[in-house]
Amino acid sequence: MRRKLAAGNWKMNGLSGQLTELEALAEAHPKPAVDVLICPPVTLLATAARQCPFDIGAQDCHANASGAHTGDVSAEMLRDVGAKAVIVGHSERRESYDEHSDIVRAKARAAQQAGLMAIVCMGESLAQREAQNTLDIIGGQLAGSVPDNATAENLVIAYEPIWAIGTGLVPSLAQIGEVHGFIRARLERRFGAGVGRGVRILYGGSVKPDNAAEIFQVPDVDGALVGGASLKAADFSPIINALEGA
Ligand code: PGA
């Protein structure tokens, strides 16, 4: 009942020439059986949204709709140039910009109010996992970062263990399953069975063509948020195939 989602997060990568990768991806997937979302840098957003048949998303937004915030971009502005979604609370932003869950929640709320789907990221550090605090951390981030008005359409959760991002390390399938099951139960408890069962939960962190299929077999994994392997059509395409086959 949940439509699967393959989301690519280009991070701070990509000049205009990189848009040819989206053309190649569109050629390889003229009618994908899953949702495909590409989140390029904000500089490419408008062009990508015009040219690319897939949904386009941003990687961050400000919590306010407008105002004196030099250098920032609001959710409304993203929507205005064709974005359908925005990633909020990525660990790289939580760490580099000290973005705590209350800020992430305000950004997610702003995104939803602007008509965007908020992809709210959360994940534990290696030290937190080793101290067996993973579920406490995830429970706290979930409670703190997700606004109250969630629907299956305006919210996606991305579980991204910090130690798995860009490292080639991946949790065991049992570990992924444990966290996704936990998130699902918390969503159902907070939002009721209908919304709780409808919200998609993505796994992120070193998803590659060679490990995607097994990760997509894990219950409550509704797709992936893919960094490095989303930059090249040749890498992202087999991940989309794996999700279609799951
Ligand atoms: P990665 O990044 O796939 O390069 O590990 C994932 C992410 O940070 O969203």
Side-chain angles (χ1 to χ4, degrees):
M1 67 178 179
R2 291 184 296 271
R3 191 164 157 92
K4 294 178 190 297
L5 171 61
N9 171 13
W10 282 13
K11 309 192 180 182
M12 198 173 73
N13 297 292
L15 304 176
S16 337
Q18 181 84 14
L19 293 171
T20 55
E21 293 298 329
L22 292 186
E23 286 168 26
L25 199 66
E27 256 169 53
H29 300 275
K31 272 186 174 282
V34 298
D35 288 345
V36 177
L37 173 77
I38 306 289
C39 302
V42 73
T43 47
L44 297 181
L45 229 158
T47 314
R50 257 195 324 271
Q51 292 179 357
C52 171
F54 306 125
D55 282 349
I56 298 298
Q59 301 170 17
D60 182 44
C61 67
H62 196 278
N64 293 355
S66 63
H69 304 288
T70 302
D72 280 315
V73 175
S74 73
E76 210 172 46
M77 292 167 175
L78 297 171
R79 171 83 194 192
D80 185 48
V81 295
K84 298 280 169 46
V86 59
I87 298 168
V88 293
H90 191 284
S91 61
E92 287 155 13
R93 294 204 60 88
R94 287 183 189 258
E95 282 185 351
S96 304
Y97 298 96
D98 215 20
E99 282 186 9
H100 296 295
S101 285
D102 50 347
I103 297 176
V104 176
R105 184 190 190 111
K107 289 183 172 197
R109 177 106 184 96
Q112 293 168 336
Q113 280 173 338
L116 299 178
M117 181 174 80
I119 303 178
V120 180
C121 301
M122 54 198 65
E124 81 286 3
S125 68
L126 189 56
Q128 289 163 339
R129 176 158 286 276
E130 284 173 352
Q132 306 197 340
N133 285 334
T134 298
L135 296 185
D136 281 349
I137 295 296
I138 299 299
Q141 290 181 340
L142 194 60
S145 311
V146 173
D148 285 329
N149 61 331
T151 68
E153 290 75 39
N154 72 13
L155 177 70
V156 168
I157 304 293
Y159 168 55
E160 300 202 301
I162 297 169
W163 51 275
I165 294 175
T167 59
L169 299 172
V170 178
S172 70
L173 301 182
Q175 287 172 326
I176 295 174
E178 180 187 33
V179 176
H180 280 239
F182 173 81
I183 293 171
R184 177 73 59 214
R186 285 289 166 100
L187 289 172
E188 286 183 27
R189 195 173 79 183
R190 180 166 162 197
F191 297 111
V195 171
R197 285 185 200 147
V199 171
R200 293 173 289 185
I201 308 173
L202 309 182
Y203 169 77
S206 296
V207 176
K208 306 289 178 202
D210 62 358
N211 62 15
E214 60 178 18
I215 292 171
F216 295 150
Q217 291 305 318
V218 176
D220 284 308
V221 172
D222 302 309
L225 181 55
V226 182
S230 70
L231 291 169
K232 294 257 172 281
D235 293 327
F236 201 41
S237 178
I239 294 174
I240 294 171
N241 288 335
L243 190 58
E244 287 178 324

